[in-house]
Amino acid sequence: MAKFQLQENETLIGSGMMAYKHKKSPASQPTRGTIYVTNQRVCYYESWSNYVYMDLPLSEVAGYDTKRALFVTFVYIYDKNNTRYAFSG
């Protein structure tokens, strides 16, 4: 399990604490972690284990969407294979 590291010639654009519910996660609750957006990729690392649930090059990102329900913001990231990554924060 590795901590987030910038790659060569990579610039961090932003990061934030988010929750992510992965289909294959053994826990019934969403994981807590940090999403990182750089000029080359989007990554999500779980906080307590630093497990990488997503490390997606920007060339593979097909789009994103945001929604708000009451006080919770949801962010959906789609890759070129129509996989949807759903985050809340």
Side-chain angles (χ1 to χ4, degrees):
M1 309 299 170
K3 289 190 176 189
F4 176 76
Q5 299 263 331
L6 287 172
Q7 297 173 352
E8 190 174 331
N9 298 324
E10 188 173 37
T11 304
L12 182 65
I13 295 170
S15 65
M17 297 291 291
M18 301 292 282
Y20 175 63
K21 177 73 171 132
H22 190 269
K23 296 178 204 175
K24 297 178 183 177
S25 174
S28 59
Q29 298 293 329
T31 65
R32 288 184 229 159
T34 304
I35 191 166
Y36 299 94
V37 179
T38 74
N39 62 330
Q40 297 177 12
R41 60 192 170 128
V42 180
C43 308
Y44 178 80
Y45 284 65
E46 185 177 51
S47 292
W48 68 274
S49 69
N50 284 317
Y51 183 80
V52 181
Y53 280 93
M54 181 179 68
D55 191 345
L56 195 61
L58 291 183
S59 62
E60 291 296 314
V61 174
Y64 71 95
D65 190 19
T66 60
K67 295 191 185 210
R68 189 167 173 95
L70 295 176
F71 302 108
V72 180
T73 300
F74 295 90
V75 177
Y76 303 100
I77 298 173
Y78 303 92
D79 70 11
K80 290 185 176 181
N81 297 321
N82 292 324
T83 303
R84 182 179 85 165
Y85 300 90
F87 300 93
S88 61

